[in-house]
Amino acid sequence: MNENIILKKNPKIEFQLLDNGFELIDGQTERNTGFYSYNDLQSIELNNVWFPRLAKWLRIITWVLNGVPYFPDAESYKKANFIIHFRKTKLGIWLTDSYMADKAKRLKELLDEKTKHNTV
């Protein structure tokens, strides 16, 4: 399986999925850049943004009730991330928009497949 998934174009965050591992090019966090073997892969977490939606609705409710926004700008609270756990380390990537989150979902599916094959 050779597939490239680009999470972000500038700075570039790209996963090149190869037969025995993946190459990560991370222009945002240089220390993440490198080759990672599927044999060391343990689990993948995809933590979606939930607070901005909650804050949006709470802000609307406070505007209706008293006309004053209670919560600060929800954009500043986005904490969506993609974490890949290996035997000895973990990689974390912040997902800053819905495009990145969609691509990360596809990437998680592909890496989960590799995790299942390694445990069998």
Side-chain angles (χ1 to χ4, degrees):
M1 163 182 64
N2 289 335
E3 185 172 342
N4 290 358
I5 295 181
I6 298 173
L7 292 183
K8 190 173 183 179
K9 293 183 181 180
N10 190 14
K12 189 174 192 175
I13 301 174
E14 179 180 4
F15 285 80
Q16 298 173 352
L17 304 175
L18 307 169
D19 291 330
N20 58 346
F22 64 88
E23 183 79 29
L24 171 59
I25 301 167
D26 189 346
Q28 187 169 316
T29 309
E30 289 292 325
R31 69 172 186 244
N32 286 348
T33 298
F35 178 81
Y36 298 92
S37 173
Y38 295 133
N39 292 331
D40 293 334
L41 189 60
Q42 290 189 322
S43 66
I44 299 101
E45 290 179 47
L46 177 58
N47 301 307
N48 291 319
V49 177
W50 62 270
F51 188 77
R53 289 186 211 127
L54 175 64
K56 176 182 168 186
W57 286 105
L58 290 174
R59 187 180 307 127
I60 290 170
I61 290 169
T62 59
W63 283 340
V64 169
L65 295 177
N66 60 9
V68 179
Y70 181 69
F71 284 92
D73 182 23
E75 291 298 314
S76 63
Y77 287 97
K78 288 188 177 184
K79 298 291 183 188
N81 58 30
F82 186 71
I83 301 171
I84 304 171
H85 295 273
F86 296 97
R87 289 185 186 148
K88 296 182 181 181
T89 189
K90 71 178 178 178
L91 294 176
I93 297 173
W94 293 106
L95 306 175
T96 57
D97 58 40
S98 60
Y99 175 83
M100 286 182 77
D102 289 342
K103 291 294 185 176
K105 184 185 284 186
R106 173 70 179 140
L107 181 60
K108 180 179 179 346
E109 291 170 2
L110 293 170
L111 292 177
D112 279 342
E113 284 275 320
K114 291 296 182 181
T115 305
K116 288 176 189 172
H117 290 302
N118 288 337
T119 59
V120 175

